[in-house]
Amino acid sequence: MQIKREDLADRHIGGNKWRKLKYNLLQAREQQKNTLLTFGGAWSNHIYATAAAGKYFGFHTIGIIRGEAHHSLTPTLQFAHDCGMQLEFIDRQTYRDRTSTQLLETLHKRHGDFYLLPEGGSNRLALKGCAEIVTDIESQFDVITVACGTGATLAGIISALDAGQHATGFAVLKGADFLIDDVSRMLAVIEHPPADNWHIELDCHFGGYAKTSPELIAFVRQFKSDFGIELDAVYTGKMFYGLFELIKQGIFERGTRIIAVHTGGIQGNAGFPELIRD
């Protein structure tokens, strides 16, 4: 097994977030947009990366944050604020309608012209960027694995596979069957023909998004001790745990060449004191 270290691309906007942002930032420049507006939660890797990208490349950024404002910000939101991101909190019901024309019109009236990045940065241009995860790999492989939140990174990877290669996504949300349809729809948008060279593992969520267990925490800590590579408890920890379980079960034929994609997200570990203690 090999690990594709997307997390090493940049300290703040590395991982799959940089892949998703790359062509969106170029599009924003082409459209002469000076402001990026996007959505996310209090621990969102996407909010974190967008704020950093705005600071690096000279965009004003606005983060529409799910939930009520608290007296103190999470480390993620504090970082975003320090990068210059304007934070606006909306209630969860309104957040559910984040793609509605009515809400977007309201935001345009309030903030003027902006380039819209969807939650997680997941759109057609994001898939184009994520496809380069595969095209950048020089070694031959049979299976490539990645953690799944929205499914956009997986869809981008699938779109770049050669004949005989297979992609496996590991859902980090509970009850994530819907991701199968979501990924299929994303592939249809980029006119990728239906294929059976991918699937999503649905049983490695440890209770749901950002949920953990002592077993997962122990695995993440042991992984760092054994290999010197830090994982996060929300995405990559669950993916590697699930991959190791499949290997133990003999799911892969002997000699199968596996590449596991490390999509970053280490900043989220600030929310898990048991991972950052000495």
Side-chain angles (χ1 to χ4, degrees):
M1 183 184 76
Q2 294 179 297
I3 300 176
K4 180 76 165 68
R5 296 293 305 274
E6 290 292 291
D7 59 309
L8 298 180
D10 182 89
R11 180 182 175 189
H12 298 304
I13 53 175
N16 61 332
K17 299 308 178 188
W18 167 241
R19 300 288 188 175
K20 290 182 176 183
L21 286 170
K22 176 181 175 181
Y23 289 105
N24 277 290
L25 295 178
L26 291 172
Q27 181 87 317
R29 280 277 188 253
E30 185 176 326
Q31 294 179 3
Q32 298 184 323
K33 305 281 190 179
N34 297 316
T35 298
L36 309 174
L37 183 143
T38 195
F39 299 83
W43 291 93
S44 167
N45 290 330
H46 171 65
I47 290 290
Y48 187 94
T50 301
K55 181 179 179 180
Y56 289 176
F57 301 112
F59 290 97
H60 174 57
T61 56
I62 301 170
I64 307 301
I65 310 301
R66 180 182 62 249
E68 303 299 328
H70 296 283
H71 178 68
S72 60
L73 298 174
T74 65
T76 297
L77 295 184
Q78 186 62 57
F79 172 84
H81 176 269
D82 292 345
C83 285
M85 176 175 273
Q86 181 179 341
L87 302 176
E88 180 177 324
F89 295 82
I90 60 175
D91 64 81
R92 293 176 182 275
Q93 180 57 50
T94 304
Y95 191 89
R96 292 189 189 99
D97 298 327
R98 60 192 173 277
T99 60
S100 71
T101 301
Q102 181 179 357
L103 177 59
L104 293 178
E105 287 178 351
T106 299
L107 291 172
H108 274 293
K109 289 178 182 177
R110 187 177 303 155
H111 300 292
D113 193 25
F114 55 75
Y115 183 87
L116 177 65
L117 284 167
E119 182 182 46
S122 299
N123 58 14
R124 184 188 182 106
L125 291 175
L127 268 62
K128 181 180 179 180
C130 290
E132 294 178 352
I133 294 174
V134 176
T135 57
D136 284 352
I137 297 173
E138 296 181 355
S139 57
Q140 296 297 313
F141 67 90
D142 304 303
V143 175
I144 186 168
T145 70
V146 68
C148 286
T150 64
T153 303
L154 176 62
I157 285 172
I158 295 166
S159 72
L161 293 180
D162 290 333
Q165 295 176 330
H166 187 94
T168 299
F170 289 83
V172 301
L173 301 87
K174 185 177 181 179
D177 307 62
F178 65 88
L179 282 176
I180 298 170
D181 290 334
D182 285 357
V183 170
S184 296
R185 280 193 291 268
M186 291 181 211
L187 291 170
V189 166
I190 60 173
E191 300 180 354
H192 187 275
D196 60 358
N197 61 345
W198 64 277
H199 78 283
I200 300 176
E201 293 286 335
L202 300 171
D203 298 323
C204 298
H205 52 74
F206 285 88
Y209 185 75
K211 298 292 182 63
T212 66
S213 74
E215 184 179 15
L216 176 63
I217 296 299
F219 173 82
V220 171
R221 290 176 65 84
Q222 190 63 49
F223 194 95
K224 183 177 181 180
S225 175
D226 290 345
F227 305 109
I229 298 174
E230 187 174 4
L231 306 178
D232 76 294
V234 178
Y235 290 96
T236 55
K238 294 180 179 182
M239 186 271 289
F240 276 100
Y241 181 96
L243 175 58
F244 279 28
E245 286 299 304
L246 294 183
I247 293 172
K248 289 177 186 177
Q249 294 166 19
I251 298 299
F252 303 106
E253 294 182 5
R254 183 176 294 276
T256 299
R257 297 167 295 185
I258 301 171
I259 289 183
V261 181
H262 190 317
T263 50
I266 302 304
Q267 66 88 20
N269 282 349
F272 300 92
E274 61 270 41
L275 283 178
I276 60 177
R277 70 172 188 265
D278 293 332

